[in-house]
Amino acid sequence: MLEIGSKGEYATRAMVYLARRYGRHTTSLTAIADEQRIPRRYLEQLIAELRKAGLIAATRGASGGYTLAKDPAEISLYDIVSVLEGPLMVQDCVENGRNACVFADECAVREVWTDLHQVIYDKLKSVTLKQLADRANQIRKEQNAKYAIYSRYPSEMVN
Amino acid sequence: MLEIGSKGEYATRAMVYLARRYGRHTTSLTAIADEQRIPRRYLEQLIAELRKAGLIAATRGASGGYTLAKDPAEISLYDIVSVLEGPLMVQDCVENGRNACVFADECAVREVWTDLHQVIYDKLKSVTLKQLADRANQIRKEQNAKYAIYSRYPSEMVN
DNA sequence: TTAATTCCTACCAATTTAGTAGGAATTGAA
DNA sequence: TTCAATTCCTACTAAATTGGTAGGAATTAA
């Protein structure tokens, strides 16, 4: 129930990856797919949707690639996930409003769906790509310190 | 994205209906289906699952029917919906925990899914059938007062 | 015995999910 | 000019899920 599918998950990870590189050169699809262990051909479609939604900018041709179309602080998790998984709609009647609500039981239930909708929306809207990228970098640092003790996995630390 | 399907919606409405009759005689499947405008044959399957989950008690044979198996105050919206739509699992790795989390980006993203998971769970778990039934009765009273002015729809007010 | 009721199981069409695949268009560099 | 890297566009597909429909057996009160 209420799952975020692979679309939302992949897209979010790809966006965090791009956020961590924001301001630098573009990143190729292959680079993202390899790094994030996402099927390249599949990610291609997801990125196409993110581009159409205005979240990603692309440069075509050799040495082309992708970058975020906006500042990471301006992109929320909701913006990303809603593109891939469709708009948040806990239950149809939440959107339809009064006309779908004929009975009192239904009304009472609908009120809760509306509440739930709001709670989820607020949460997703409150998280920005910048926050996620910062947090990812922080985790990377911690891992870096940990690995340094054992002198292992240097390749993982580079980017 | 994150939708509650007809299963969850129908099941919840049926449970609220039963909650409003808790302590009285059993209610037949047909009565619930008719009143709540839910396909009878479909509702039958949903109720079967709720019964297996221990939320509904059944009496077989003529003049049999269903009642809640527990006090409405002891049944949360989460209890109901999770039976029909499966357990809340925003993203697989939320359950899997550490082992699914190899990369920092993924980790950062997972933390948010975990947060979201908690927010949704808390909300659904905080709403009891008793609250929903009380609220439904209240709405019914308001409508009752409204309709009394115009002297209309008396049949809707009865149950 | 009958009629009302729950219970069990199978079936189905349409949609969604999670990809795979082929190849055209664009562009920087040799 | 050519080549290789890259994005872009479109079609296809197997498996699962959704939202039901349907037939009939088992149980029980009257």
Side-chain angles (χ1 to χ4, degrees):
Chain A
M1 131 201 194
L2 295 177
E3 301 188 31
I4 297 255
S6 69
K7 282 186 193 176
E9 171 74 9
Y10 289 164
T12 305
R13 295 224 313 269
M15 290 293 276
V16 172
Y17 187 83
L18 287 179
R20 290 182 44 241
R21 280 153 193 75
Y22 185 66
R24 298 193 238 163
H25 52 73
T26 64
T27 311
S28 78
L29 175 67
T30 307
I32 307 174
D34 286 356
E35 171 81 13
Q36 294 291 319
R37 309 293 205 268
I38 300 171
R40 191 184 126 259
R41 287 299 217 167
Y42 192 38
L43 180 58
E44 198 178 334
Q45 294 174 54
L46 307 183
I47 284 190
E49 294 197 65
L50 291 166
R51 185 177 51 79
K52 282 171 203 155
L55 299 180
I56 280 184
T59 312
R60 304 189 62 173
S63 75
Y66 300 100
T67 51
L68 292 186
K70 312 184 209 173
D71 191 283
E74 302 300 314
I75 300 176
S76 77
L77 193 48
Y78 181 80
D79 299 333
I80 299 168
V81 177
S82 64
V83 167
L84 278 303
E85 313 258 7
L88 174 58
M89 188 171 8
V90 172
Q91 227 288 325
D92 288 334
C93 62
V94 171
E95 302 299 306
N96 300 344
R98 71 248 168 289
N99 55 337
C101 180
V102 187
F103 309 103
D105 291 10
E106 195 172 335
C107 261
V109 171
R110 181 169 61 85
E111 288 173 356
V112 182
W113 298 149
T114 306
D115 278 4
L116 180 62
H117 182 285
Q118 194 62 45
V119 157
I120 298 173
Y121 178 82
D122 288 348
K123 184 72 194 176
L124 288 176
K125 202 66 184 178
S126 77
V127 180
T128 70
L129 264 191
K130 178 166 181 355
Q131 289 169 23
L132 287 174
D134 287 350
R135 177 69 183 130
N137 284 333
Q138 186 191 337
I139 292 173
R140 225 162 266 262
K141 248 183 203 159
E142 290 167 10
Q143 290 182 345
N144 215 316
K146 198 168 70 182
Y147 290 145
I149 299 172
Y150 301 100
S151 304
R152 305 227 315 135
Y153 303 125
S155 71
E156 289 285 348
M157 308 186 302
V158 175
N159 16 294
Chain B
M1 128 202 194
L2 294 177
E3 300 188 32
I4 299 253
S6 69
K7 283 186 192 174
E9 170 74 10
Y10 289 164
T12 304
R13 295 223 314 267
M15 291 293 277
V16 171
Y17 187 84
L18 287 179
R20 289 182 45 240
R21 279 151 194 77
Y22 184 64
R24 299 194 237 162
H25 52 73
T26 63
T27 310
S28 77
L29 175 67
T30 308
I32 307 174
D34 286 355
E35 171 81 13
Q36 293 292 319
R37 310 289 206 271
I38 300 170
R40 190 183 128 260
R41 288 298 218 166
Y42 192 40
L43 180 59
E44 199 178 335
Q45 294 173 53
L46 307 183
I47 285 191
E49 293 197 65
L50 291 166
R51 185 176 53 79
K52 281 172 204 154
L55 299 180
I56 279 184
T59 313
R60 302 190 62 174
S63 77
Y66 300 101
T67 52
L68 291 186
K70 313 185 208 173
D71 190 283
E74 303 299 313
I75 301 176
S76 76
L77 192 48
Y78 181 80
D79 299 333
I80 300 168
V81 177
S82 64
V83 167
L84 279 303
E85 313 258 9
L88 174 59
M89 189 173 5
V90 172
Q91 227 286 324
D92 289 333
C93 62
V94 170
E95 302 299 305
N96 299 344
R98 72 245 167 291
N99 55 338
C101 181
V102 189
F103 307 103
D105 291 9
E106 195 172 333
C107 261
V109 170
R110 182 169 60 83
E111 289 173 353
V112 182
W113 296 149
T114 306
D115 278 3
L116 180 62
H117 182 285
Q118 194 63 46
V119 156
I120 298 173
Y121 178 83
D122 288 348
K123 183 73 195 175
L124 288 176
K125 201 68 183 175
S126 76
V127 179
T128 70
L129 264 192
K130 176 163 182 357
Q131 289 168 25
L132 286 174
D134 287 350
R135 177 68 184 131
N137 284 332
Q138 186 190 337
I139 292 173
R140 225 163 266 263
K141 247 183 203 160
E142 291 167 9
Q143 289 182 344
N144 216 315
K146 199 166 71 182
Y147 290 145
I149 299 173
Y150 302 100
S151 306
R152 307 231 311 136
Y153 303 126
S155 71
E156 289 285 347
M157 311 186 300
V158 176
N159 20 295

